[in-house]
Amino acid sequence: MLKDVTFGQYYPVESFVHRLDPRVKLLGLIAYIVMLFVAKSFYSLALGALVLAFVITVSGVPAKSVFRSVRGILFLLAFTSLLNVFFHGGEMLLAEWGIIKIYVEGIIFAIFLMFRLVFIVMASAILTLTTTPVSLTDAFESLLFPLTLIKVPVHVFALIMSIALRFIPTLMDETNRIINAQKARGADFESGNIFKRVRAIVPILIPLIISALRRADELGDAMDARCYSGATKRTKYKKLRFGWRDAVAVLVLAVLIAGVILLNIYAAAIWPAAAPYMVIS
Amino acid sequence: MRRRENTANREQAENITPPEYAVVFDNVSFTYASDEPFAVKDLSLSVRRGEFLSVLGHNGSGKSTLARLISGLLIADKGKIGVWGLDPADRRQVNEVRRHAGIVFQNPDNQMVASIVEDDVAFGPENIGVGREEIGNRIQWALETVGMEEYRNSTPTRLSGGQKQRIAIAGVLAIKPDIIILDESTAMLDPRGRKEVVEVVRKLNKEQGMTVILITHFMEEALLADRAVVMNRGELVAEGTPEHIFEMGDMLETYNLTLPEIGIIRKNLAENGIPLAPCLRADEFADELAKYVEENHIHFNCPAYMPQRTPYTGGKEWDISINNLVYTYSKKSPFAAHALKGVDLSIAEGEFFGIIGHTGSGKSTLVQHLNALIKLPQAEKKYKESKVKKGEQPPAKSEIYVGKYNLGDRKCAWKELRCDVGMVFQYPEYQLFAETVFDDVAFGLKNFRPDMPAEEVKKAVRDSLEVVGLNYDEIAEKSPFDLSGGQKRRVAIAGVIVTRPKILILDEPAAGLDPLGKREIMSLLHSLHGDWCSTVIIVSHDMDEVVENCTRACVVSDGKIFDCARPSELFRRGDDLRALGLDVPLTAKICESLAERGLKVDCDLTAKGLCEAIIAATRGGQANA
C-alpha cells in the first residue's frame, strides 16, 4: 500500500546540480519563479525553457521523472489557464456568445500562463529530485538564521523538522506492518462505502499513535541523556559551503535575470510584426 | 571562546584526580507512583572506575530504572547517588553527570535524531558546545571505534539492527564519557547484531579503560563482565564474578532468570554421574569432558543417531508448495531490490517448520506470500501477460499452493485463505487497538465470520484466551494496554488463533522477551501445534530456538533457499553457515569442539539429545538404561 512511496522523491545520483549548496538551489528556485512572473513575452519564456532544459540535462535526473511531477496536476493547470480565456479582455475579438467574449489575447495569455505554471512545477520538482530533505532543512535553517536576532528559535524548528524527516520512514514501515497484521486478521480496507472505510482505519490509527507516543517518549530520554538542554550554547557541525559550482549557478541565474529584463524592454522591437502575439500586454 | 575539549584536558585544567568509584548507590529507593511497589529498593552498589559490571534481571526487575537514575532522567526518592563524584539529582550538576555517563537504550530506532549517520553522531558534541573541527574528529574516532566509519554518510534506516545500535553507541562516545551504560541495548537485536555490540563494548572497556555497566537478561553476555549483580523486584539479590552467579544454578530460577544452556547441559550430566568443572564456553566444555574421559579411562563410543521421526511426509491436505518464487520491491525505480530470487520450498502438513535468515535475507517477504499479503503478479487484477519474443522460452512463473488454494489464481478465495493461514507479526503486541481484550481477540472472528452468533464468538474468544494461558474472566473486559508485556503478546496471539487457522506462521515470536518468557512462548506454540493448528512455521534467527523446537528448517540467504533439512543435519554444516554470516546452536558448537578432541558425538543437537548421547558414549555405546 505505502511500499512505493519514497519521500521527497530524491533521485540518488551524483551530478553538478546535486552537489550545489541547497541554499543556492532554494534561492535559485525563488529567483526563477520571480523571473517567470516578471517575464512579459514568449521570448523570455523560451529563455526560461532553455535554462530548465539545461538544468535537467546536467542534473542527471531522467526528464521523464521531471515531467511526471507535472502530470498529476495537469488538469488543475489546464483548468486555471482555460478560465483566463473567458475573462481576459483585448482588442481582437474571436467569438461571442451573449456576454461571453473570447479574444485572441485571451487565448495567448492562457497559453502563456499554462507554460509559466508548468515551468514553476518542473523547477520545484528539480529541487526536490536533486536535494535531500535533510539538506533542504539545513538550507532553511541557514537562510532563516537572521530571525534568531528577534528571538525566534530557528534551531528548535530545524531540529523538529529533522526529527520528523528522520521518523517518516520508520513510521511508514510501522504503518505497513500494522496494515499487514490487521489484513492477516481479515480487515478489509479496500471495499465498502466511505463510512466503512473510515471505520476500518481505526485499527491502524490507534496502534500507530500509541507507537509514535512511545517512540517520542524514548527519544526524549535519549536526547536528554545525550546532553540536549535547549538551544543555548549549542554548536553546529554541518556548515553549508558556497563553492565554485554555486558561483557558476549564481552566474547562470544572473544572466537569466538580465536576459529577462532586456527582453522585457526590447520584446516588441525584436519582430514588430509578431509583437501582438509574442508580447503579453 | 573557551571550550572544554575533552575529559583529559578538563581534568588537567581543573586539577581533579579521577575518583576511585565511577558510580556509587547508597541505600537508594525509587517508585514510579506512590501506590506502586518500589522499582528500586534500598539499593547499595559501587562500581569501580574502569570496571565492567553486568546487571542481570528479568523484565521488570528494576534494572532499567537503575540506568535512568544514574543519568538523572529519574530522581531517587530516598538515598544518594554519586556519578563521578557528582550528584545527578542536582539540577545544576545533571548536565555534567550526563557528560560523564552516557546511556545506549534498547531500541536503536528511537535514539536517532538525524537522517544521516554523521549528523546523528554530531548531536551530542553539538549539545555540549564542542568546536566544529573537533566534532569532525570525534565523529571519525567514534565511528572507527564501533567499526562503522564507512557508513558515515549513510541513512540509518537502511542499516541492520546491530549496525544501528553501533551508531547509537558512537553517538554516545562522541561526548567522550567515562562511563557507558547499555540499557538492554541488545534485547531487540539478532544474534549477529548482539555479538557486534558486545564486542564493541568489550573493546571499549579493555582498550580505552571505560567503565561499562551492561544491563541485560542474556546470561551469555554477562560472562564478559568482571562482576555481575542480579536484581529481583528492585532489590539486589546476588553479586559476584559471572562464574559465581552461574554456580547458583536453580536459585536463578527463583529470580525469573534461566541458567545459560551450557549450565543446563552440565547440570543434566552431573545428575547422571558425569561431574564437570564449571565452564562457560563450548570449547571449555569439550576440554572438561575430554579431561574427564581421560582421567576415568572411559572408552568413549557414541552410538549412531537414529532419527525417530521422518518429518517430511507430503501428500496431506494442508501441504504448502512454492515453486520458483521471485519478488522485487519497488520495481522500475532506482530503489528496486530483489528480495526473492527463485525460491522452491515444500512444507508438509503437521510440521513445526523453522525459517532462518538474517534481517533482509527475504524471509519476511517469503512468508508474507503464504497468506497473500503479497500477491503473485498473475493474481493481481491489473496483470498482463508479458510478451515473449518468438523462439524464446517464456520466463518460469512463480507458483504457490497452500492446501486447496492456488495463490496464482485471480479468483482465489483470499478471505478464506487468510482465515486458514494465521500470521503473527513481530512484536504483535504493538498491533493491539481495541478498548477491551475481548474486542481485540474477536476482531478477526468478526471479519472472517460476520454471521457468527454472539454466544459462539464468546466461546471461541474464551477458548483461545485460555489456550494461550490467560484467564478469560479476569482479563476479557480489561483494556489491552493495561496488561504486562508478556500478557499483551499472548492476547495478540490469541487474536490470530481465534479463527482456528490450519497453518500458523509466527515472525520472531520470542523477540525481545527475557529467557523465561521465551521458554514460555515456545512451550505455548508446542501446545498449539497439532491440536489447535496442524502446521506451525516460525521465522527465527535464534539457532538454539530452531534446533530445540523445529522438525525441519530452511536457511534463506540472499533471496534463495540455501538448504532445507532437519536441524540436526542443517547445523552440521557449521562452516557453510558461518560463511553466510549465520551461527550454529551451542550444541552444534560443542559437537564440533568434541570432534576436534577426538570425541565423536552423534545426536539430534537438542540439549537433551546431546546429554543422552554423551551419557551413552561414556557407557561404551550402551543406550541409557
Side-chain angles (χ1 to χ4, degrees):
Chain A
M1 212 166 166
L2 294 168
K3 208 148 270 169
D4 293 327
V5 180
T6 42
F7 184 78
Q9 317 161 327
Y10 179 67
Y11 195 92
V13 287
E14 284 280 309
S15 82
F16 183 91
V17 182
H18 282 75
R19 292 164 86 172
L20 282 176
D21 185 324
R23 290 172 301 186
V24 170
K25 284 193 261 188
L26 197 62
L27 289 178
L29 176 68
I30 294 169
Y32 185 77
I33 292 173
V34 169
M35 182 224 91
L36 283 174
F37 277 95
V38 171
K40 283 224 153 41
S41 69
F42 280 98
Y43 303 118
S44 309
L45 224 47
L47 187 63
L50 214 65
V51 170
L52 204 59
F54 173 72
V55 172
I56 292 173
T57 317
V58 291
S59 73
V61 177
K64 223 167 69 184
S65 304
V66 182
F67 284 117
R68 204 175 293 152
S69 60
V70 182
R71 206 169 53 190
I73 48 171
L74 201 59
F75 174 76
L76 196 72
L77 295 182
F79 182 76
T80 322
S81 310
L82 210 64
L83 223 57
N84 278 284
V85 174
F86 299 105
F87 298 106
H88 201 275
E91 284 159 10
M92 294 176 276
L93 192 65
L94 200 68
E96 188 175 2
W97 301 279
I99 52 161
I100 299 171
K101 291 182 177 125
I102 295 180
Y103 297 93
V104 175
E105 284 93 338
I107 293 175
I108 291 171
F109 184 70
I111 294 169
F112 186 80
L113 194 65
M114 176 90 181
F115 274 112
R116 186 193 266 169
L117 294 175
V118 167
F119 286 176
I120 290 174
V121 173
M122 280 170 71
S124 316
I126 292 171
L127 179 72
T128 53
L129 281 163
T130 61
T131 319
T132 59
V134 180
S135 0
L136 270 181
T137 313
D138 291 341
F140 275 118
E141 186 182 3
S142 174
L143 291 173
L144 294 179
F145 181 74
L147 290 181
T148 47
L149 294 177
I150 53 161
K151 298 266 159 62
V152 177
V154 173
H155 149 73
V156 175
F157 291 132
L159 188 64
I160 291 170
M161 210 151 130
S162 155
I163 289 173
L165 289 173
R166 151 74 192 79
F167 276 91
I168 283 171
T170 307
L171 290 177
M172 210 105 98
D173 277 355
E174 179 113 35
T175 313
N176 261 321
R177 195 160 43 233
I178 295 169
I179 288 175
N180 275 336
Q182 311 300 29
K183 261 188 181 170
R185 292 209 279 164
D188 187 355
F189 306 113
E190 277 134 31
S191 62
N193 58 33
I194 182 93
F195 292 107
K196 239 179 159 177
R197 284 193 201 196
V198 170
R199 271 183 63 110
I201 294 175
V202 172
I204 301 173
L205 221 51
I206 288 177
L208 194 65
I209 291 170
I210 288 173
S211 144
L213 291 176
R214 193 189 62 240
R215 285 177 192 281
D217 208 30
E218 286 180 33
L219 183 72
D221 271 357
M223 285 169 65
D224 272 350
R226 282 165 79 182
C227 307
Y228 183 72
S229 57
T232 48
K233 280 193 301 181
R234 243 183 142 252
T235 45
K236 187 111 182 83
Y237 169 58
K238 250 210 185 133
K239 255 225 174 97
L240 297 168
R241 277 210 195 84
F242 190 89
W244 63 268
R245 288 188 188 82
D246 305 302
V248 171
V250 169
L251 208 67
V252 170
L253 274 171
V255 169
L256 180 67
I257 290 167
V260 169
I261 293 171
L262 285 176
L263 284 170
N264 271 355
I265 299 171
Y266 297 110
I270 293 172
W271 184 9
Y277 303 101
M278 296 304 277
V279 182
I280 308 299
S281 50
Chain B
M1 206 184 317
R2 225 191 90 214
R3 283 204 182 97
R4 296 167 166 187
E5 289 302 313
N6 59 41
T7 335
N9 289 348
R10 191 157 65 221
E11 269 151 17
Q12 270 171 12
E14 294 169 16
N15 200 15
I16 299 170
T17 43
E20 187 184 354
Y21 288 103
V23 177
V24 180
F25 275 72
D26 184 14
N27 222 9
V28 172
S29 294
F30 175 82
T31 172
Y32 284 94
S34 52
D35 55 342
E36 272 180 36
F38 283 101
V40 167
K41 198 180 167 198
D42 299 331
L43 187 111
S44 293
L45 175 70
S46 304
V47 186
R48 267 179 293 107
R49 180 164 48 85
E51 188 177 3
F52 188 158
L53 176 81
S54 67
V55 180
L56 282 160
H58 61 95
N59 282 352
S61 61
K63 59 190 194 306
S64 289
T65 309
L66 221 60
R68 289 176 155 74
L69 285 169
I70 293 173
S71 70
L73 293 170
L74 297 174
I75 305 293
D77 297 329
K78 214 182 87 201
K80 217 168 159 39
I81 301 170
V83 180
W84 217 258
L86 299 158
D87 180 5
D90 185 340
R91 287 200 74 66
R92 283 160 304 172
Q93 292 181 34
V94 69
N95 252 327
E96 196 66 15
V97 165
R98 287 173 187 165
R99 279 194 198 196
H100 284 289
I103 309 187
V104 183
F105 291 89
Q106 185 177 34
N107 189 337
D109 277 332
N110 298 353
Q111 300 173 54
M112 298 199 177
V113 291
S115 311
I116 290 173
V117 168
E118 66 169 357
D119 293 353
D120 189 71
V121 176
F123 182 70
E126 285 176 345
N127 288 337
I128 57 172
V130 176
R132 241 173 61 73
E133 206 164 312
E134 169 68 6
I135 294 180
N137 297 338
R138 285 188 184 196
I139 293 173
Q140 188 61 25
W141 168 77
L143 288 176
E144 274 170 15
T145 308
V146 299
M148 290 293 290
E149 63 272 24
E150 57 187 299
Y151 295 95
R152 186 168 174 156
N153 292 309
S154 306
T155 310
T157 35
R158 293 187 191 257
L159 303 177
S160 77
Q163 289 175 322
K164 280 190 239 178
Q165 200 61 291
R166 275 147 70 198
I167 301 290
I169 294 175
V172 170
L173 287 181
I175 303 169
K176 299 229 169 179
D178 301 293
I179 309 163
I180 188 162
I181 305 164
L182 290 107
D183 183 11
E184 296 194 50
S185 311
T186 56
M188 297 181 83
L189 306 182
D190 62 9
R192 181 163 72 168
R194 279 214 301 266
K195 225 189 237 167
E196 290 168 3
V197 167
V198 167
E199 196 46 48
V200 165
V201 171
R202 211 183 56 85
K203 214 172 81 185
L204 283 173
N205 176 252
K206 294 283 171 292
E207 289 171 16
Q208 319 259 352
M210 203 173 274
T211 310
V212 173
I213 301 177
L214 176 74
I215 297 170
T216 181
H217 47 227
F218 292 111
M219 284 277 179
E220 284 80 356
E221 283 170 11
L223 291 179
L224 298 163
D226 302 321
R227 189 161 64 109
V229 295
V230 177
M231 285 194 67
N232 185 40
R233 294 165 196 251
E235 289 179 78
L236 212 143
V237 289
E239 108 170 76
T241 60
E243 288 84 353
H244 170 77
I245 300 286
F246 293 150
E247 283 312 298
M248 292 166 61
D250 292 343
M251 272 294 280
L252 287 171
E253 306 241 336
T254 55
Y255 307 135
N256 287 320
L257 289 168
T258 55
L259 213 53
E261 209 188 357
I262 204 149
I264 296 171
I265 295 170
R266 257 191 65 225
K267 194 176 130 205
N268 188 329
L269 290 180
E271 282 164 6
N272 283 285
I274 308 175
L276 298 179
C279 51
L280 302 166
R281 294 201 315 264
D283 51 340
E284 289 172 4
F285 176 89
D287 281 336
E288 290 300 327
L289 187 64
K291 210 162 82 193
Y292 173 83
V293 167
E294 201 182 330
E295 278 169 8
N296 293 290
H297 310 289
I298 290 168
H299 172 61
F300 195 87
N301 178 20
C302 182
Y305 165 65
M306 300 292 241
Q308 286 165 352
R309 290 168 290 195
T310 39
Y312 182 65
T313 46
K316 287 198 199 138
E317 193 190 342
W318 285 100
D319 290 350
I320 297 170
S321 109
I322 300 168
N323 297 318
N324 188 38
L325 181 58
V326 177
Y327 186 75
T328 310
Y329 278 109
S330 311
K331 250 185 200 169
K332 291 180 189 167
S333 87
F335 303 103
H338 301 282
L340 297 174
K341 305 174 181 170
V343 167
D344 297 300
L345 185 65
S346 304
I347 301 171
E349 180 183 337
E351 286 199 270
F352 198 117
F353 194 84
I355 297 178
I356 303 167
H358 287 305
T359 318
S361 62
K363 58 187 163 67
S364 296
T365 313
L366 172 62
V367 292
Q368 285 181 28
H369 274 93
L370 293 179
N371 68 347
L373 285 176
I374 303 175
K375 284 185 189 172
L376 290 176
Q378 67 263 36
E380 294 283 0
K381 279 177 198 148
K382 283 180 260 171
Y383 178 73
K384 273 192 208 118
E385 201 90 23
S386 54
K387 277 182 190 158
V388 182
K389 283 179 199 153
K390 266 189 184 164
E392 263 180 44
Q393 210 51 9
K397 245 185 215 161
S398 301
E399 288 179 328
I400 303 174
Y401 296 92
V402 176
K404 61 189 175 191
Y405 303 104
N406 173 5
L407 273 58
D409 184 354
R410 209 175 294 186
K411 293 189 205 78
C412 183
W414 304 114
K415 219 166 179 179
E416 283 75 11
L417 169 79
R418 285 189 188 153
C419 183
D420 283 330
V421 181
M423 189 170 294
V424 180
F425 280 77
Q426 246 183 70
Y427 297 98
E429 58 272 29
Y430 294 161
Q431 287 129 30
L432 299 177
F433 70 94
E435 273 174 58
T436 66
V437 169
F438 181 91
D439 288 342
D440 212 296
V441 175
F443 178 67
L445 215 52
K446 282 178 180 155
N447 287 328
F448 288 123
R449 310 230 168 82
D451 311 322
M452 201 177 208
E455 269 313 297
E456 271 179 56
V457 170
K458 206 171 162 186
K459 186 176 177 307
V461 172
R462 178 184 285 273
D463 286 351
S464 63
L465 277 174
E466 267 159 22
V467 79
V468 298
L470 296 171
N471 186 329
Y472 176 88
D473 298 312
E474 260 176 34
I475 217 170
E477 293 308 318
K478 272 193 184 171
S479 160
F481 303 110
D482 289 340
L483 306 177
S484 78
Q487 283 176 321
K488 276 188 210 168
R489 186 163 298 188
R490 282 160 190 271
V491 167
I493 293 175
V496 172
I497 61 166
V498 71
T499 56
R500 299 226 171 209
K502 303 291 182 298
I503 297 164
L504 181 64
I505 303 168
L506 303 103
D507 192 354
E508 300 286 353
L513 296 177
D514 58 13
L516 206 69
K518 274 187 189 186
R519 204 197 281 171
E520 283 169 6
I521 283 289
M522 292 322 288
S523 76
L524 165 64
L525 293 185
H526 278 291
S527 69
L528 291 175
H529 180 224
D531 193 28
W532 196 283
C533 324
S534 46
T535 311
V536 173
I537 300 173
I538 59 169
V539 176
S540 180
H541 43 224
D542 187 333
M543 303 300 161
D544 294 305
E545 199 172 280
V546 170
V547 84
E548 290 293 334
N549 298 293
C550 297
T551 53
R552 223 159 54 96
C554 71
V555 173
V556 185
S557 177
D558 194 24
K560 287 186 209 124
I561 300 283
F562 168 73
D563 196 3
C564 182
R566 265 197 299 272
S568 55
E569 287 162 27
L570 199 61
F571 291 125
R572 221 161 279 181
R573 303 178 61 181
D575 292 334
D576 296 336
L577 290 174
R578 282 186 201 106
L580 297 180
L582 289 164
D583 210 355
V584 294
L586 177 79
T587 47
K589 278 184 209 150
I590 290 178
C591 285
E592 284 172 12
S593 298
L594 284 174
E596 282 165 19
R597 288 158 183 77
L599 305 175
K600 205 175 149 294
V601 176
D602 198 10
C603 67
D604 63 1
L605 295 182
T606 63
K608 193 162 154 267
L610 178 70
C611 290
E612 280 168 10
I614 291 175
I615 292 161
T618 54
R619 291 178 185 162
Q622 305 296 310
N624 191 4

